[in-house]
Amino acid sequence: MSAYRDEDPRIQGIKTKIRVVPNFPKPGIMFQDITTLLLDPKAFKDTIDLFVERYKGKNISVVAGIEARGFIFGPPIALAIGAKFVPLRKPRKLPGEVISEEYILEYGRDCLEMHVGAVEPGERALVVDDLIATGGTLCAAMNLLERVGAEVIECACLIELPELQGRGRLNGKPLYVLVEYQ
C-alpha cells in the first residue's frame, strides 16, 4: 500500500523536496537525496506524521531503522507510537555481540548487524528505511528480526523505485511507501 495512491495532499509537498542526483554513487544510479527534504521542517514533519498516523495503535513494539537514513525516520516514529528503536547497522559499528545478515543491493554487496538481545521473540516490528530499490536491504532486515523471533508487521519507506521490483522480493510482507519514482 502507498500513501501516494491515496492522494494525500501532503505527498506532493514531500515529493517536491526530494532531489534526484544522477550518477551517484556510481554511473547509471539516480540517487534519491532526502537531505533536501530534511531542510524543510514542514515536509519533514509531514513525512513523520504520515508514518505515525499509519502505525499508531497497531501494537508495534519495535521500530528497526536501517543505517543510515532509517536512523533519521525511525526514532521519531518509534517515540510517537510508543515503541523502542533498534538500529540495524553496517558491519563492525555496534559494540558487543551481534547477529549479521549479508545481502545484495543494486550496486554491490553489504551486511546488516543487530545487537543480540535487542529484540525479543514475539515482538511486533516495523522496518523503516528511506528507499526500496531491489529490496535486498529490507529482506536482510526482516531476516534478522525474524531470526530472533520477531513478527515483522510491515516495511515503511519514504521512496519506492518500482522499476527495480524490490516489492516482489519481500515475500508477501506489506510495504508502505509515500513517494514512487518511475
Side-chain angles (χ1 to χ4, degrees):
M1 176 170 192
S2 304
Y4 63 85
R5 292 193 184 110
D6 296 337
E7 303 296 326
D8 188 298
R10 296 172 286 185
I11 297 299
Q12 189 56 37
I14 291 166
K15 188 171 185 174
T16 64
K17 298 301 178 183
I18 299 167
R19 175 175 59 172
V20 178
V21 181
N23 301 311
F24 183 83
K26 292 184 174 185
I29 302 293
M30 299 296 287
F31 186 79
Q32 309 296 311
D33 181 14
I34 57 103
T35 61
T36 48
L37 177 134
L38 302 175
L39 295 173
D40 185 310
K42 180 181 181 340
F44 186 28
K45 182 180 184 314
D46 285 347
T47 301
I48 299 302
D49 288 349
L50 283 162
F51 287 125
V52 169
E53 288 164 17
R54 178 161 180 86
Y55 298 112
K56 196 133 185 120
K58 300 249 170 129
N59 297 317
I60 293 169
S61 55
V62 174
V63 174
I66 297 172
E67 185 169 347
R69 291 171 295 279
F71 294 2
I72 295 168
F73 300 105
I77 295 167
L79 286 171
I81 67 172
K84 64 183 171 183
F85 177 76
V86 174
L88 304 179
R89 303 232 35 207
K90 305 234 184 234
R92 298 171 301 284
K93 300 284 186 181
L94 292 170
E97 189 178 358
V98 298
I99 60 171
S100 302
E101 186 75 27
E102 190 171 299
Y103 63 99
I104 298 171
L105 42 76
E106 63 272 22
Y107 47 86
R109 297 182 76 82
D110 215 336
C111 181
L112 286 178
E113 294 183 341
M114 177 177 73
H115 273 128
V116 170
V119 178
E120 300 296 323
E123 288 200 275
R124 292 169 51 86
L126 170 67
V127 178
V128 176
D129 203 359
D130 68 323
L131 179 140
I132 178 170
T134 64
T137 309
L138 288 177
C139 286
M142 290 188 304
N143 288 345
L144 276 177
L145 293 162
E146 290 171 348
R147 281 173 46 200
V148 299
E151 177 189 1
V152 176
I153 302 305
E154 194 162 81
C155 296
C157 294
L158 171 59
I159 302 164
E160 179 178 13
L161 304 178
E163 70 277 4
L164 297 177
Q165 302 175 8
R167 185 181 289 265
R169 291 189 60 199
L170 300 182
N171 299 321
K173 288 286 184 206
L175 170 67
Y176 181 70
V177 298
L178 299 185
V179 175
E180 179 182 89
Y181 280 95
Q182 299 296 333

